[in-house]
Amino acid sequence: QVQLVESGGGSVQAGGSLRLSCVASGTILRINTMLWYRQTPGNQRELVAHITRDGESAVYIDSVKNRFIISRDNAKNTMYLQMNGLKPEDTGVYYCNANIKDRASVTGDYWGQGTQVTVSS
């Protein structure tokens, strides 16, 4: 079994920072692409950023460019999202997602349970 667990959410004022973490555990052979999604109030879940397996390439949605930084530590099976210059519109539930090959050589997409980020003006 594979699990993803997010942490690091909370409440901050506009302009503040938070660092989200996503830890993968279980019978993992390899973690491929890792992604951060969010669901803001009244909207569908959207992809915020993703990072390649080697961590060399990352892509962001326009609204978070130059404010958020995605990274990963493969030795710890962990992905991070450093969020700076937070805005009220960043408020929502943040989810991690990862494409993982387990030790039975089965590859699938896994989701964490989500962590709440609230930004007040």
Short mmCIF file of all heavy atoms in Angstrom, two decimals, residues 1-61:
data_model
loop_
_atom_site.label_atom_id
_atom_site.label_comp_id
_atom_site.label_asym_id
_atom_site.label_seq_id
_atom_site.Cartn_x
_atom_site.Cartn_y
_atom_site.Cartn_z
N GLN A 1 0.83 -1.19 0.00
CA GLN A 1 0.00 0.00 0.00
C GLN A 1 0.87 1.24 0.00
O GLN A 1 1.97 1.24 0.53
CB GLN A 1 -0.89 0.02 1.24
CG GLN A 1 -2.06 -0.93 1.17
CD GLN A 1 -3.00 -0.74 2.35
OE1 GLN A 1 -2.56 -0.34 3.43
NE2 GLN A 1 -4.25 -1.06 2.16
N VAL A 2 0.34 2.28 -0.63
CA VAL A 2 1.03 3.55 -0.71
C VAL A 2 0.14 4.63 -0.10
O VAL A 2 -1.07 4.64 -0.34
CB VAL A 2 1.38 3.91 -2.16
CG1 VAL A 2 1.96 5.31 -2.24
CG2 VAL A 2 2.35 2.88 -2.75
N GLN A 3 0.74 5.51 0.66
CA GLN A 3 0.00 6.63 1.24
C GLN A 3 0.74 7.93 1.02
O GLN A 3 1.99 7.95 1.02
CB GLN A 3 -0.19 6.43 2.75
CG GLN A 3 -1.23 5.42 3.12
CD GLN A 3 -1.49 5.40 4.62
OE1 GLN A 3 -0.57 5.52 5.42
NE2 GLN A 3 -2.75 5.27 5.01
N LEU A 4 -0.03 9.00 0.84
CA LEU A 4 0.52 10.35 0.79
C LEU A 4 -0.09 11.14 1.93
O LEU A 4 -1.32 11.11 2.10
CB LEU A 4 0.20 11.03 -0.54
CG LEU A 4 0.76 10.40 -1.82
CD1 LEU A 4 0.32 11.22 -3.02
CD2 LEU A 4 2.26 10.31 -1.76
N VAL A 5 0.74 11.85 2.66
CA VAL A 5 0.24 12.65 3.78
C VAL A 5 0.80 14.06 3.67
O VAL A 5 2.03 14.24 3.65
CB VAL A 5 0.63 12.04 5.14
CG1 VAL A 5 0.14 12.93 6.27
CG2 VAL A 5 0.06 10.64 5.28
N GLU A 6 -0.12 15.04 3.60
CA GLU A 6 0.30 16.43 3.54
C GLU A 6 0.33 17.02 4.94
O GLU A 6 -0.38 16.58 5.85
CB GLU A 6 -0.67 17.28 2.71
CG GLU A 6 -0.86 16.85 1.28
CD GLU A 6 -2.15 16.08 1.10
OE1 GLU A 6 -2.59 15.44 2.08
OE2 GLU A 6 -2.71 16.09 0.00
N SER A 7 1.13 18.06 5.09
CA SER A 7 1.17 18.82 6.34
C SER A 7 1.67 20.22 6.03
O SER A 7 2.15 20.49 4.92
CB SER A 7 2.08 18.15 7.37
OG SER A 7 3.40 18.10 6.90
N GLY A 8 1.53 21.12 7.00
CA GLY A 8 2.08 22.45 6.85
C GLY A 8 1.07 23.54 6.57
O GLY A 8 1.41 24.72 6.51
N GLY A 9 -0.19 23.15 6.38
CA GLY A 9 -1.21 24.16 6.16
C GLY A 9 -1.46 24.97 7.42
O GLY A 9 -0.96 24.66 8.50
N GLY A 10 -2.23 26.03 7.28
CA GLY A 10 -2.55 26.87 8.42
C GLY A 10 -3.18 28.18 7.98
O GLY A 10 -3.60 28.32 6.82
N SER A 11 -3.23 29.11 8.92
CA SER A 11 -3.81 30.42 8.66
C SER A 11 -2.73 31.48 8.75
O SER A 11 -1.97 31.51 9.72
CB SER A 11 -4.91 30.71 9.69
OG SER A 11 -5.97 29.80 9.58
N VAL A 12 -2.67 32.33 7.73
CA VAL A 12 -1.69 33.41 7.70
C VAL A 12 -2.34 34.66 7.16
O VAL A 12 -3.39 34.60 6.52
CB VAL A 12 -0.45 33.06 6.84
CG1 VAL A 12 0.31 31.89 7.42
CG2 VAL A 12 -0.85 32.80 5.41
N GLN A 13 -1.70 35.77 7.39
CA GLN A 13 -2.16 37.02 6.80
C GLN A 13 -1.57 37.18 5.41
O GLN A 13 -0.55 36.57 5.08
CB GLN A 13 -1.75 38.20 7.68
CG GLN A 13 -2.51 38.26 9.00
CD GLN A 13 -2.28 39.57 9.73
OE1 GLN A 13 -1.20 40.14 9.67
NE2 GLN A 13 -3.30 40.03 10.44
N ALA A 14 -2.23 37.98 4.61
CA ALA A 14 -1.76 38.25 3.26
C ALA A 14 -0.31 38.74 3.30
O ALA A 14 0.06 39.53 4.17
CB ALA A 14 -2.65 39.29 2.58
N GLY A 15 0.48 38.21 2.38
CA GLY A 15 1.90 38.53 2.35
C GLY A 15 2.76 37.55 3.10
O GLY A 15 3.99 37.57 2.97
N GLY A 16 2.13 36.68 3.87
CA GLY A 16 2.86 35.70 4.65
C GLY A 16 3.29 34.50 3.84
O GLY A 16 3.08 34.43 2.63
N SER A 17 3.91 33.54 4.54
CA SER A 17 4.45 32.36 3.89
C SER A 17 4.04 31.10 4.63
O SER A 17 3.81 31.12 5.85
CB SER A 17 5.98 32.42 3.85
OG SER A 17 6.44 33.52 3.10
N LEU A 18 3.94 30.03 3.89
CA LEU A 18 3.74 28.69 4.44
C LEU A 18 4.55 27.71 3.61
O LEU A 18 4.79 27.94 2.42
CB LEU A 18 2.27 28.28 4.40
CG LEU A 18 1.31 28.91 5.40
CD1 LEU A 18 -0.12 28.51 5.06
CD2 LEU A 18 1.66 28.50 6.81
N ARG A 19 4.94 26.61 4.25
CA ARG A 19 5.62 25.55 3.53
C ARG A 19 4.85 24.26 3.73
O ARG A 19 4.75 23.75 4.85
CB ARG A 19 7.05 25.38 4.03
CG ARG A 19 7.90 24.44 3.19
CD ARG A 19 9.16 24.09 3.90
NE ARG A 19 10.15 23.47 3.01
CZ ARG A 19 11.12 22.66 3.42
NH1 ARG A 19 11.23 22.39 4.71
NH2 ARG A 19 11.97 22.16 2.57
N LEU A 20 4.34 23.73 2.63
CA LEU A 20 3.62 22.47 2.66
C LEU A 20 4.59 21.32 2.40
O LEU A 20 5.54 21.46 1.63
CB LEU A 20 2.51 22.44 1.63
CG LEU A 20 1.50 23.59 1.66
CD1 LEU A 20 0.41 23.35 0.61
CD2 LEU A 20 0.89 23.75 3.04
N SER A 21 4.30 20.20 3.03
CA SER A 21 5.07 18.98 2.79
C SER A 21 4.13 17.86 2.41
O SER A 21 2.98 17.82 2.86
CB SER A 21 5.85 18.58 4.04
OG SER A 21 6.78 19.56 4.42
N CYS A 22 4.62 16.94 1.62
CA CYS A 22 3.87 15.74 1.25
C CYS A 22 4.82 14.57 1.33
O CYS A 22 5.82 14.52 0.60
CB CYS A 22 3.32 15.89 -0.16
SG CYS A 22 2.60 14.38 -0.83
N VAL A 23 4.52 13.65 2.23
CA VAL A 23 5.38 12.49 2.44
C VAL A 23 4.70 11.24 1.90
O VAL A 23 3.54 10.96 2.25
CB VAL A 23 5.71 12.30 3.92
CG1 VAL A 23 6.61 11.08 4.11
CG2 VAL A 23 6.38 13.54 4.49
N ALA A 24 5.42 10.52 1.07
CA ALA A 24 4.92 9.26 0.54
C ALA A 24 5.50 8.11 1.35
O ALA A 24 6.69 8.13 1.69
CB ALA A 24 5.29 9.12 -0.92
N SER A 25 4.67 7.13 1.66
CA SER A 25 5.15 5.97 2.41
C SER A 25 4.49 4.71 1.89
O SER A 25 3.48 4.76 1.18
CB SER A 25 4.85 6.15 3.90
OG SER A 25 3.46 6.22 4.13
N GLY A 26 5.08 3.58 2.26
CA GLY A 26 4.51 2.30 1.85
C GLY A 26 5.48 1.54 0.97
O GLY A 26 6.67 1.77 0.97
N THR A 27 4.91 0.63 0.17
CA THR A 27 5.73 -0.26 -0.65
C THR A 27 6.09 0.42 -1.97
O THR A 27 5.63 0.04 -3.04
CB THR A 27 4.97 -1.56 -0.91
OG1 THR A 27 3.70 -1.23 -1.50
CG2 THR A 27 4.74 -2.33 0.37
N ILE A 28 6.94 1.42 -1.87
CA ILE A 28 7.29 2.25 -3.01
C ILE A 28 8.56 1.77 -3.67
O ILE A 28 9.57 1.55 -3.02
CB ILE A 28 7.49 3.72 -2.54
CG1 ILE A 28 6.17 4.27 -1.99
CG2 ILE A 28 7.99 4.58 -3.70
CD1 ILE A 28 6.33 5.58 -1.27
N LEU A 29 8.48 1.64 -4.98
CA LEU A 29 9.67 1.33 -5.76
C LEU A 29 10.24 2.62 -6.37
O LEU A 29 11.44 2.86 -6.32
CB LEU A 29 9.36 0.32 -6.85
CG LEU A 29 10.55 -0.14 -7.71
CD1 LEU A 29 11.58 -0.83 -6.84
CD2 LEU A 29 10.07 -1.07 -8.82
N ARG A 30 9.35 3.41 -6.95
CA ARG A 30 9.78 4.65 -7.58
C ARG A 30 8.65 5.65 -7.60
O ARG A 30 7.51 5.32 -7.85
CB ARG A 30 10.24 4.40 -9.02
CG ARG A 30 10.86 5.62 -9.70
CD ARG A 30 11.32 5.31 -11.11
NE ARG A 30 10.21 5.08 -12.00
CZ ARG A 30 10.11 4.00 -12.77
NH1 ARG A 30 11.04 3.07 -12.73
NH2 ARG A 30 9.06 3.86 -13.56
N ILE A 31 8.99 6.92 -7.32
CA ILE A 31 8.02 8.01 -7.42
C ILE A 31 8.35 8.82 -8.66
O ILE A 31 9.47 9.34 -8.79
CB ILE A 31 8.04 8.91 -6.18
CG1 ILE A 31 7.78 8.09 -4.91
CG2 ILE A 31 6.98 10.01 -6.31
CD1 ILE A 31 7.90 8.89 -3.63
N ASN A 32 7.42 8.92 -9.55
CA ASN A 32 7.63 9.67 -10.79
C ASN A 32 7.22 11.13 -10.57
O ASN A 32 7.64 11.74 -9.59
CB ASN A 32 6.87 9.00 -11.92
CG ASN A 32 7.37 7.58 -12.16
OD1 ASN A 32 8.58 7.34 -12.24
ND2 ASN A 32 6.45 6.63 -12.24
N THR A 33 6.41 11.67 -11.43
CA THR A 33 5.99 13.06 -11.29
C THR A 33 5.21 13.26 -10.00
O THR A 33 4.40 12.42 -9.61
CB THR A 33 5.12 13.49 -12.48
OG1 THR A 33 5.88 13.30 -13.68
CG2 THR A 33 4.72 14.94 -12.37
N MET A 34 5.48 14.39 -9.36
CA MET A 34 4.72 14.78 -8.15
C MET A 34 4.06 16.13 -8.42
O MET A 34 4.63 16.99 -9.11
CB MET A 34 5.64 14.85 -6.93
CG MET A 34 6.32 13.53 -6.61
SD MET A 34 7.24 13.55 -5.06
CE MET A 34 5.90 13.30 -3.87
N LEU A 35 2.88 16.29 -7.88
CA LEU A 35 2.06 17.45 -8.21
C LEU A 35 1.38 18.01 -6.96
O LEU A 35 1.08 17.28 -6.02
CB LEU A 35 0.96 17.06 -9.22
CG LEU A 35 1.40 16.33 -10.48
CD1 LEU A 35 1.35 14.81 -10.28
CD2 LEU A 35 0.51 16.70 -11.66
N TRP A 36 1.14 19.30 -6.99
CA TRP A 36 0.30 19.97 -6.00
C TRP A 36 -0.95 20.49 -6.70
O TRP A 36 -0.85 21.17 -7.73
CB TRP A 36 1.02 21.14 -5.34
CG TRP A 36 2.03 20.75 -4.32
CD1 TRP A 36 3.38 20.74 -4.47
CD2 TRP A 36 1.77 20.30 -2.98
NE1 TRP A 36 3.98 20.32 -3.31
CE2 TRP A 36 3.02 20.04 -2.38
CE3 TRP A 36 0.61 20.09 -2.24
CZ2 TRP A 36 3.14 19.59 -1.06
CZ3 TRP A 36 0.73 19.65 -0.94
CH2 TRP A 36 1.98 19.40 -0.36
N TYR A 37 -2.09 20.18 -6.13
CA TYR A 37 -3.37 20.71 -6.59
C TYR A 37 -3.96 21.54 -5.44
O TYR A 37 -3.55 21.41 -4.29
CB TYR A 37 -4.35 19.58 -6.90
CG TYR A 37 -4.12 18.85 -8.19
CD1 TYR A 37 -3.14 17.86 -8.29
CD2 TYR A 37 -4.90 19.10 -9.31
CE1 TYR A 37 -2.93 17.17 -9.48
CE2 TYR A 37 -4.71 18.42 -10.50
CZ TYR A 37 -3.73 17.45 -10.57
OH TYR A 37 -3.54 16.77 -11.74
N ARG A 38 -4.95 22.34 -5.80
CA ARG A 38 -5.71 23.03 -4.76
C ARG A 38 -7.16 23.17 -5.21
O ARG A 38 -7.45 23.20 -6.40
CB ARG A 38 -5.13 24.40 -4.44
CG ARG A 38 -5.29 25.44 -5.54
CD ARG A 38 -4.62 26.75 -5.15
NE ARG A 38 -4.74 27.76 -6.20
CZ ARG A 38 -4.11 28.92 -6.19
NH1 ARG A 38 -3.29 29.24 -5.17
NH2 ARG A 38 -4.28 29.78 -7.19
N GLN A 39 -8.00 23.24 -4.20
CA GLN A 39 -9.41 23.51 -4.47
C GLN A 39 -9.81 24.72 -3.65
O GLN A 39 -9.85 24.65 -2.41
CB GLN A 39 -10.29 22.32 -4.11
CG GLN A 39 -11.73 22.50 -4.53
CD GLN A 39 -12.47 21.19 -4.66
OE1 GLN A 39 -12.04 20.15 -4.17
NE2 GLN A 39 -13.60 21.23 -5.33
N THR A 40 -10.05 25.82 -4.34
CA THR A 40 -10.44 27.06 -3.68
C THR A 40 -11.96 27.12 -3.62
O THR A 40 -12.64 26.46 -4.41
CB THR A 40 -9.87 28.27 -4.43
OG1 THR A 40 -10.27 28.20 -5.80
CG2 THR A 40 -8.35 28.26 -4.37
N PRO A 41 -12.51 27.88 -2.69
CA PRO A 41 -13.97 27.92 -2.51
C PRO A 41 -14.71 28.25 -3.78
O PRO A 41 -14.40 29.22 -4.46
CB PRO A 41 -14.14 29.01 -1.45
CG PRO A 41 -12.87 29.00 -0.67
CD PRO A 41 -11.80 28.70 -1.69
N GLY A 42 -15.68 27.42 -4.12
CA GLY A 42 -16.51 27.65 -5.28
C GLY A 42 -15.89 27.25 -6.60
O GLY A 42 -16.49 27.47 -7.66
N ASN A 43 -14.69 26.67 -6.55
CA ASN A 43 -14.01 26.31 -7.79
C ASN A 43 -13.66 24.82 -7.81
O ASN A 43 -13.64 24.15 -6.78
CB ASN A 43 -12.73 27.13 -7.94
CG ASN A 43 -13.01 28.59 -8.12
OD1 ASN A 43 -13.77 29.01 -8.99
ND2 ASN A 43 -12.42 29.41 -7.26
N GLN A 44 -13.37 24.36 -9.00
CA GLN A 44 -12.92 22.98 -9.14
C GLN A 44 -11.46 22.86 -8.73
O GLN A 44 -10.72 23.84 -8.70
CB GLN A 44 -13.11 22.52 -10.60
CG GLN A 44 -14.55 22.41 -11.03
CD GLN A 44 -14.69 21.84 -12.43
OE1 GLN A 44 -13.78 21.96 -13.24
NE2 GLN A 44 -15.81 21.20 -12.69
N ARG A 45 -11.06 21.65 -8.46
CA ARG A 45 -9.66 21.41 -8.12
C ARG A 45 -8.79 21.78 -9.31
O ARG A 45 -9.10 21.42 -10.46
CB ARG A 45 -9.46 19.94 -7.73
CG ARG A 45 -8.14 19.64 -7.09
CD ARG A 45 -8.07 18.19 -6.62
NE ARG A 45 -9.06 17.90 -5.58
CZ ARG A 45 -9.09 16.75 -4.91
NH1 ARG A 45 -8.19 15.81 -5.16
NH2 ARG A 45 -10.02 16.55 -4.00
N GLU A 46 -7.70 22.49 -9.06
CA GLU A 46 -6.80 22.90 -10.14
C GLU A 46 -5.37 22.50 -9.82
O GLU A 46 -4.96 22.45 -8.65
CB GLU A 46 -6.88 24.42 -10.35
CG GLU A 46 -6.37 25.26 -9.20
CD GLU A 46 -6.35 26.74 -9.49
OE1 GLU A 46 -6.49 27.15 -10.67
OE2 GLU A 46 -6.18 27.52 -8.53
N LEU A 47 -4.63 22.25 -10.88
CA LEU A 47 -3.22 21.93 -10.74
C LEU A 47 -2.44 23.21 -10.48
O LEU A 47 -2.55 24.18 -11.23
CB LEU A 47 -2.71 21.26 -12.02
CG LEU A 47 -1.23 20.92 -12.09
CD1 LEU A 47 -0.85 19.94 -10.98
CD2 LEU A 47 -0.88 20.34 -13.46
N VAL A 48 -1.66 23.22 -9.43
CA VAL A 48 -0.88 24.40 -9.05
C VAL A 48 0.54 24.31 -9.60
O VAL A 48 1.06 25.27 -10.17
CB VAL A 48 -0.83 24.54 -7.52
CG1 VAL A 48 0.08 25.70 -7.12
CG2 VAL A 48 -2.23 24.75 -6.96
N ALA A 49 1.16 23.16 -9.42
CA ALA A 49 2.54 22.99 -9.87
C ALA A 49 2.86 21.51 -9.92
O ALA A 49 2.24 20.71 -9.22
CB ALA A 49 3.51 23.69 -8.91
N HIS A 50 3.82 21.16 -10.76
CA HIS A 50 4.30 19.78 -10.77
C HIS A 50 5.79 19.77 -11.02
O HIS A 50 6.37 20.72 -11.56
CB HIS A 50 3.54 18.91 -11.76
CG HIS A 50 3.65 19.33 -13.19
ND1 HIS A 50 4.63 18.88 -14.03
CD2 HIS A 50 2.86 20.14 -13.93
CE1 HIS A 50 4.45 19.40 -15.23
NE2 HIS A 50 3.38 20.17 -15.20
N ILE A 51 6.41 18.68 -10.61
CA ILE A 51 7.86 18.57 -10.68
C ILE A 51 8.23 17.18 -11.17
O ILE A 51 7.59 16.19 -10.83
CB ILE A 51 8.49 18.87 -9.29
CG1 ILE A 51 10.01 18.94 -9.37
CG2 ILE A 51 8.02 17.87 -8.23
CD1 ILE A 51 10.65 19.52 -8.12
N THR A 52 9.26 17.12 -12.00
CA THR A 52 9.68 15.86 -12.58
C THR A 52 10.37 14.98 -11.54
O THR A 52 10.73 15.44 -10.45
CB THR A 52 10.63 16.10 -13.75
OG1 THR A 52 11.71 16.96 -13.31
CG2 THR A 52 9.91 16.76 -14.90
N ARG A 53 10.59 13.74 -11.91
CA ARG A 53 11.16 12.77 -10.99
C ARG A 53 12.53 13.20 -10.49
O ARG A 53 12.86 13.02 -9.32
CB ARG A 53 11.26 11.41 -11.68
CG ARG A 53 11.88 10.34 -10.83
CD ARG A 53 11.69 8.96 -11.46
NE ARG A 53 12.42 7.95 -10.70
CZ ARG A 53 13.55 7.42 -11.11
NH1 ARG A 53 14.06 7.77 -12.27
NH2 ARG A 53 14.15 6.52 -10.38
N ASP A 54 13.33 13.77 -11.38
CA ASP A 54 14.67 14.18 -10.97
C ASP A 54 14.71 15.55 -10.32
O ASP A 54 15.77 16.01 -9.89
CB ASP A 54 15.63 14.14 -12.15
CG ASP A 54 15.22 15.06 -13.28
OD1 ASP A 54 14.27 15.85 -13.11
OD2 ASP A 54 15.85 14.99 -14.35
N GLY A 55 13.56 16.21 -10.28
CA GLY A 55 13.50 17.52 -9.64
C GLY A 55 14.08 18.64 -10.48
O GLY A 55 14.16 19.77 -10.02
N GLU A 56 14.45 18.33 -11.70
CA GLU A 56 15.13 19.34 -12.53
C GLU A 56 14.17 20.27 -13.23
O GLU A 56 14.56 21.35 -13.66
CB GLU A 56 16.01 18.65 -13.57
CG GLU A 56 17.20 17.90 -12.96
CD GLU A 56 18.19 18.83 -12.30
OE1 GLU A 56 18.49 19.90 -12.87
OE2 GLU A 56 18.64 18.52 -11.18
N SER A 57 12.93 19.86 -13.37
CA SER A 57 11.98 20.68 -14.11
C SER A 57 10.68 20.83 -13.33
O SER A 57 10.17 19.86 -12.77
CB SER A 57 11.69 20.04 -15.47
OG SER A 57 10.76 20.82 -16.20
N ALA A 58 10.18 22.06 -13.28
CA ALA A 58 8.92 22.34 -12.58
C ALA A 58 8.08 23.28 -13.42
O ALA A 58 8.61 24.12 -14.15
CB ALA A 58 9.20 22.95 -11.22
N VAL A 59 6.78 23.14 -13.30
CA VAL A 59 5.84 23.99 -14.04
C VAL A 59 4.82 24.52 -13.05
O VAL A 59 4.36 23.79 -12.16
CB VAL A 59 5.15 23.20 -15.16
CG1 VAL A 59 4.14 24.09 -15.88
CG2 VAL A 59 6.17 22.65 -16.15
N TYR A 60 4.44 25.78 -13.22
CA TYR A 60 3.51 26.44 -12.31
C TYR A 60 2.36 27.08 -13.10
O TYR A 60 2.54 27.49 -14.24
CB TYR A 60 4.21 27.56 -11.54
CG TYR A 60 5.41 27.12 -10.75
CD1 TYR A 60 6.67 27.06 -11.33
CD2 TYR A 60 5.28 26.79 -9.40
CE1 TYR A 60 7.79 26.67 -10.60
CE2 TYR A 60 6.38 26.40 -8.66
CZ TYR A 60 7.62 26.34 -9.26
OH TYR A 60 8.72 25.95 -8.53
N ILE A 61 1.21 27.21 -12.46
CA ILE A 61 0.16 28.02 -13.07
C ILE A 61 0.57 29.48 -12.92
O ILE A 61 1.33 29.86 -12.02
CB ILE A 61 -1.21 27.77 -12.43
CG1 ILE A 61 -1.18 28.03 -10.91
CG2 ILE A 61 -1.69 26.38 -12.73
CD1 ILE A 61 -2.55 28.00 -10.27
#
